[in-house]
Amino acid sequence: MNCRKCKKEIPDGSKYCNLCGTVQSPPPRAPKNRGNGQGSVYRRNGKWAASITKYRNGQRATKTKCGFDKKSDALEWLSEARKGRARSATTLSSLYTDWSTSAALKLSTSKQCAYKIAWARLNDISFDPVAELTIGDLQRVLDGLTYYPARDVKTLLSHLYKRACAQGDAAANLAQYVVLPDCESEETEAYTQDELAKMWGAYDKGEAYAGYMLLMIYTGMMPGELLACKIDSIDFSAQTITGAGLKTKERKSKPIVFPSFIAPVLRELIGDRITGKLIRANRDAFYEQYHAAEARIGIRDLKPYSCRHTTATALAIGDAAAPGIIARVMRQTRPLTTQKYTHADVKAVLKVVNGMKKNPVTALPKGRGKKPNTGM
């Protein structure tokens, strides 16, 4: 055999090297009292000392406390230091992982999407210990954002901080101190009566997207509701559409009511189909075709949501409808001018929307022999 130190040949079974004196089989080391990363306790200048190492942003930092008279005191300090390190190790990322797979699932699909976008904006601080983040750190994330994206970020941070506070990982919900930018909302314009007349004229000449515009205008449908509308949810005898409402409880629970003069438009948009969605296009394709149709019709380039803003105006033409009835058609819980008739039933709403045909602008053009080309 060879010596474990000098590598010279020595007799087999030797306990010591007869040349350098090195022990050939050293006694086994005593087992560690604490595993790696748990800290250490040792004697220093006649006293006991304890130290523990932590990492932040890839940087190593060691915290040491000296001057303990007893080893037990040093071990107690080390135990508290480990608890503090465990708390500081909780990050926004770990909190978001737990929240997004539990409480977030109860939110609407659109809200979940909004918070996913908001989470991407928190990337720079997502792996910092939540206990070490400051109000300034959170505020810097919001700098440069407009009101609504910043509001989503603040709300998401609040959800995460509430979990952190409940678990003892943060002392307070710092998100409540973040200041949002001013809300400078752009007012959505409504179509004019001349533009409504052009839509009817274009539809009469086979412009299918004019039909979708008119459907949204005279029902108060949002673009998302039009895209979600299924053919088998349309009841022509009752003049209602069910199951397409979005966002609020009121819109989801109440049927969309359409006037009798829109029924032929709706039938032609459906064509020979029995099932499936009313409009066979995704959101991006719909918006692209919508704006292209506005150019073909010769009207302003407004957003599809402008149709809903035009609904109340169309309802007020001729024999004006009560604000409560208008709110019911719009499926809103709070009319802007009065709370009267907030419980209007479907019959009352039908009477009003059917009355819109008294206005010459909303009268269905006669002599249409050409079926619109839906292009779907």
Side-chain angles (χ1 to χ4, degrees), residues 123-251:
N123 182 64
D124 289 344
I125 61 172
S126 60
F127 291 102
D128 288 346
V130 68
E132 299 179 20
L133 289 172
T134 65
I135 298 173
D137 294 330
L138 306 185
Q139 188 67 55
R140 280 187 287 274
V141 175
L142 273 63
D143 289 345
L145 297 179
T146 55
Y147 176 79
Y148 291 105
R151 184 188 64 179
D152 288 339
V153 173
K154 180 176 180 176
T155 304
L156 175 59
L157 282 170
S158 185
H159 284 306
L160 302 183
Y161 264 98
K162 286 177 181 178
R163 295 179 74 88
C165 292
Q167 297 171 176
D169 298 321
N173 181 1
L174 300 187
Q176 62 184 315
Y177 302 109
V178 172
V179 179
L180 295 176
D182 293 335
C183 181
E184 299 177 355
S185 58
E186 180 183 352
E187 184 176 354
T188 303
E189 298 182 68
Y191 291 107
T192 64
Q193 294 303 300
D194 288 341
E195 288 170 326
L196 281 172
K198 288 182 178 181
M199 289 180 195
W200 277 113
Y203 174 74
D204 190 40
K205 295 177 182 178
E207 176 59 66
Y209 267 77
Y212 293 125
M213 294 176 184
L214 294 169
L215 176 62
M216 287 192 289
I217 287 173
Y218 292 108
T219 61
M221 292 179 77
M222 297 184 294
E225 293 174 330
L226 175 64
L227 293 170
C229 179
K230 295 181 179 179
I231 294 173
D232 56 11
S233 68
I234 302 172
D235 187 339
F236 283 96
S237 61
Q239 295 178 221
T240 59
I241 300 172
T242 57
L246 298 177
K247 290 190 175 181
T248 67
K249 183 179 179 181
E250 180 78 5
R251 293 175 191 166

Side-chain angles (χ1 to χ4, degrees), residues 268-322:
E268 289 185 327
L269 291 174
I270 294 173
D272 298 329
R273 293 178 292 144
I274 300 175
T275 60
K277 290 190 174 182
L278 174 61
I279 179 169
R280 293 177 291 185
N282 60 31
R283 184 181 183 278
D284 292 337
F286 169 71
Y287 273 68
E288 181 181 349
Q289 289 299 319
Y290 185 95
H291 292 296
E294 286 180 315
R296 291 193 298 268
I297 296 170
I299 59 179
R300 288 174 298 163
D301 185 18
L302 301 182
K303 298 180 292 186
Y305 207 87
S306 292
C307 292
R308 181 170 169 82
H309 280 253
T310 311
T311 304
T313 302
L315 284 168
I317 294 171
D319 295 333

